[in-house]
Amino acid sequence: MQAPFIEVKDLTKYYGNFRAVDNLTFHVNQGDIYGFLGPNGAGKSTTLRMLLTLIRPSSGSIRFFNSWLSGNRRMILGRIGSIVERPDFYNYLSARMNLEYFGNLNERSISRRKIYELLDLVGLNGREEDKVREYSHGMKQRLGIAQALLHDPEIIILDEPTTGLDPEGIINIRNLLKNLRDEKAKTILISSHILSEIELVANSMVIINKGKLVAEGRISDLLSTDEMVVTFRCSPASAFKSFLDNPEIKQHLISYSDTEMVLKLSMREIPRINSFLVEKGLEITGIDSKRKLEDYFLKLVRDN
Ligand code: ADP
Ligand code: MG
């Protein structure tokens, strides 16, 4: 089996006495869209900046393409494209001229044809000659991705690329990332603080909180519908009380209040439990179901 494209092992970063990243281990395989999920302040940017050698780890190791990052920095960074800070462009120049400028900073020069191809790839065709100052935030993000692709990297690292975008902008980025994986065989590491964004685009993910790993694995395993947290709401209030000792309910009960009862169920069980409650004369006014990890993550974000 081929070695992972990115291997992070026991990575730790202190800022003074504060441990921003704490013994983090995960790996990204070739062809992955790999999600890096965590609430604000979890340590995502710190980790990605260490991967790009913008800051030094306090301890731990990083390998790309089966080579240590320390000692092979130039070779490795030459095969990675990234956006970790909001991309910075010359507003008074066109998108095409910006890419020409950035493209020719490096030793390998970039043809104008290649630049048009990239602008087309990120959906900016027809807008190539418009000044960046006339671009929307979403267009600038896509131009940033085009810039990251200038030297045809195998890996693309993006730190919260959809922050501040409207729903359409988010969909554009999502489709672009899938296209880059499927059509251009890119491996993508993308961070976000929004679970649904990662879920819709990635095949695997790691979740971190306060610098520490919380969960890691395939999205389909982590967000399985075998274990869900299901909230039933009813009227009149307090009608749930009489069900708490019912064997049908009791075995699933997580918590309850006068108006809500929270049960742990598999998705298959939800209709049956719902019918059971309705048959017993309860008026169910709402059902809210979340995968267990989704429920956990939303509470993490809320309590942060
Ligand atoms: P995220 O990107 O997940 O929001 P960051 O990696 O930016 O998280 O930050 C992780 C923690 O480290 C936060 O508590 C943040 O305040 C702190 N932090 C980030 N950069 C620095 C720095 N240069 N000096 C001190 N603390 C920092
Ligand atoms: Mg960040």
Side-chain angles (χ1 to χ4, degrees), residues 15-16 18-21 38-47 49 159-160 191 208:
Y15 293 117
F18 174 70
R19 206 181 313 156
V21 173
N40 284 326
K44 302 181 296 294
S45 298
T46 299
T47 303
R49 294 172 71 84
D159 192 10
E160 307 224 28
S191 76
I208 64 167

Side-chain angles (χ1 to χ4, degrees), residues 147-170:
Q147 186 194 350
L149 291 168
L150 274 170
H151 292 89
D152 210 18
E154 290 147 80
I155 295 178
I156 303 162
I157 296 179
L158 304 171
D159 192 10
E160 307 224 28
T162 57
T163 300
L165 295 186
D166 58 22
E168 191 193 344
I170 293 173

Side-chain angles (χ1 to χ4, degrees), residues 243 246-253 261 263 273 276-277:
F243 287 86
N246 188 298
E248 198 59 65
I249 298 300
K250 199 177 176 179
Q251 56 173 323
H252 301 292
L253 190 65
M261 181 162 73
L263 304 180
I273 296 291
F276 172 80
L277 293 172

Side-chain angles (χ1 to χ4, degrees), residues 101-119:
Y101 172 76
F102 289 111
N104 293 323
L105 286 181
N106 292 50
E107 50 242 63
R108 254 193 301 163
S109 76
I110 311 280
S111 70
R112 185 167 290 192
R113 200 173 130 232
K114 168 87 182 171
I115 285 174
Y116 276 106
E117 268 173 32
L118 280 175
L119 288 168

Side-chain angles (χ1 to χ4, degrees), residues 88-102:
D88 216 3
F89 295 108
Y90 293 103
N91 279 317
Y92 56 88
L93 295 179
S94 69
R96 191 257 306 161
M97 286 169 83
N98 267 283
L99 290 191
E100 273 178 359
Y101 172 76
F102 289 111

